Every structure is written in structure tokens, then in C-alpha cells.
Amino acid sequence: MVCDSLLRSIDYRFSDSKLLSQALTHRSYGQPNNERLEFLGDSVVNHVVALSLFERFPGLNEGELSRLRAHLVCQGTLFELAQEVGLGDHLLLGEGERKSGGHRRPSILSDAFEALIAAIFLDGGYAAAKTFVDQMFATRLDRLDPESSLKDPKTRLQEWLQARKRPLPKYEMVDVQGEAHAQAFQVDCVINSNLKTRGSGTSRRNAEQASAAAALDILESGPAK
């Protein structure tokens, strides 16, 4: 039985608890797993976020809206949202996947989060799924700046530092886990030994982008200089 803490975190009660159980079941655990739900959830979250962007930014063209959506609906963001609701603590994983840290792996958590969205959609309809997605993405949408967000985090971080004549970051590989077909990379972004942030991703590039985004969040939220 799923812990009440997860239900409180997602602020949704299922009429059909089997849908939630399936959403939390990785293929390494058995059948039915969450792969089909992941497929559906991907479409639902993209649709809801697209609608929000369409309504918020009437002056942007199709290509710009598409890039903003890709910026928001990516593995890194879905991984962060899955962590926010504590999804990893409730995943059903095979023994090998569990021992290798699958409940912390970005690819597994982001897929499970999409499956969760699909489960809510099937259980409560589009309105329920839209409410959940809107709530989860609210903060990110509120602070979204189209001009800067259309650039990747590494570019934005470099420009932020150059504008203030500060040293540029260095990216250091920390760890690689998992089998070759499902690796998880961890990379540190180091800025003049004063700031170090860590990012995870399914490739070194994705991990570097995640670590750069984390560093930028800290710098932009700090005292103005």
C-alpha cells in the first residue's frame, strides 16, 4: 500500500488505487509496469504546459513556444518534481535495480513522474491531470523568462559571469552509475572554488547543464553585485 505521505504530497486521492500502483512499478519489478503510462503521461504534460505557455506568452511564435516547452518539460525538471513529492521512496523496483540506486536515477524517476500524471488522467480525467501539472509547474512558470530561458543553462551561466567579470566555471565528472544502456552521470560545476553545484543526467552534457542551472539559481537568488 502506498504511504499516505505520497498522497499528501501530490494532493490527489485515487478512486482506482491500481493505477497508482502501476505508475510506481518499474519494468524490473514485473507486470503490469509503468511504461505504457509513461507514454501517455508524456503527451498529457506536454499538452498542459503548451497550453499554459500559449496563454502566458501571446507574443511568442511557434518555434519559441516549442523551445520553452522543451526547456520546461525535460528529464531534469521531471526528475526534480519527482524528488519534490518523494516519488523515489515509493517506487517498486527489481532487486538489482534497487541495489544499484534506481530509486535515485533521473531517468527512472522522470519516467515514473510522467506515469503518475497519466494515472491521474485516467483516474480523474483531464481536469484533474491539468490541475496537478499546473500546480507542480506553477513556480517554474511564474519565474520563466523567455529571453533567458531560450538559452541553455551553461550559456546563461557563462553570460552571467562574463557580465560581472567573474571567472568562468569548470565542469568536473564526479561519478557514472548504471549499465551502459541506462547510465546516470554526476557532474560538478565549480566556480573559482567559491561555489560548487552538482547535476545529474543520462549523459555528461545533461549533467553539466543541470549543474550549471543549479549554480545559476544560487547566483541569481543571492545579493545583487
Side-chain angles (χ1 to χ4, degrees):
M1 179 178 293
V2 177
C3 181
D4 282 346
S5 64
L6 176 60
L7 297 176
R8 288 194 298 269
S9 294
I10 66 176
D11 193 24
Y12 182 81
R13 292 282 171 174
F14 281 84
S15 298
D16 184 356
S17 60
K18 291 181 181 178
L19 284 169
L20 177 57
S21 295
Q22 184 177 348
L24 298 174
T25 302
H26 186 257
R27 66 173 180 267
S28 64
Y29 188 86
Q31 295 284 351
N33 59 52
N34 62 12
E35 288 185 332
R36 281 173 53 84
L37 289 177
E38 173 204 337
F39 165 78
L40 179 59
D42 176 73
S43 296
V44 174
V45 68
N46 273 285
H47 181 277
V48 174
V49 171
L51 180 59
S52 293
L53 293 172
F54 183 85
E55 294 173 342
R56 283 171 180 257
F57 304 110
L60 297 184
N61 62 37
E62 177 190 3
E64 291 167 333
L65 289 170
S66 294
R67 289 196 294 278
L68 278 183
R69 182 178 62 180
H71 170 75
L72 282 171
V73 187
C74 62
Q75 184 184 92
T77 300
L78 297 174
F79 171 57
E80 291 172 0
L81 293 175
Q83 289 181 305
E84 287 177 16
V85 299
L87 203 58
D89 295 334
H90 305 281
L91 292 181
L92 299 177
L93 302 167
E95 184 178 357
E97 198 66 71
R98 171 68 66 177
K99 288 182 177 179
S100 66
H103 61 291
R104 296 188 301 269
R105 189 165 299 143
S107 59
I108 290 178
L109 279 168
S110 60
D111 289 349
F113 190 76
E114 288 181 327
L116 174 63
I117 292 170
I120 293 174
F121 172 75
L122 292 174
D123 187 74
Y126 177 76
K130 184 178 185 302
T131 296
F132 176 69
V133 173
D134 284 341
Q135 289 174 344
M136 294 302 302
F137 279 86
T139 301
R140 288 166 173 79
L141 282 164
D142 287 343
R143 69 188 186 200
L144 186 64
D145 176 7
E147 184 175 346
S148 63
S149 296
L150 290 172
K151 299 176 182 178
D152 66 74
K154 288 181 67 175
T155 299
R156 287 160 46 213
L157 175 60
Q158 180 170 316
E159 290 179 351
W160 193 97
L161 293 168
Q162 287 176 329
R164 293 159 179 79
K165 298 182 179 180
R166 295 172 64 170
L168 296 182
K170 295 181 180 179
Y171 296 93
E172 301 175 352
M173 176 70 74
V174 177
D175 191 22
V176 182
Q177 296 182 348
E179 301 295 331
H181 66 283
Q183 289 184 320
F185 294 77
Q186 290 189 330
V187 172
D188 281 348
C189 173
V190 183
I191 302 175
N192 197 30
S193 301
N194 295 322
L195 176 63
K196 179 186 290 187
T197 55
R198 182 162 299 178
S200 301
T202 55
S203 68
R204 176 166 184 162
R205 179 181 181 280
N206 289 342
E208 288 178 353
Q209 296 287 3
S211 65
L216 197 58
D217 282 344
I218 293 172
L219 292 170
E220 289 181 333
S221 63
K225 294 183 180 181

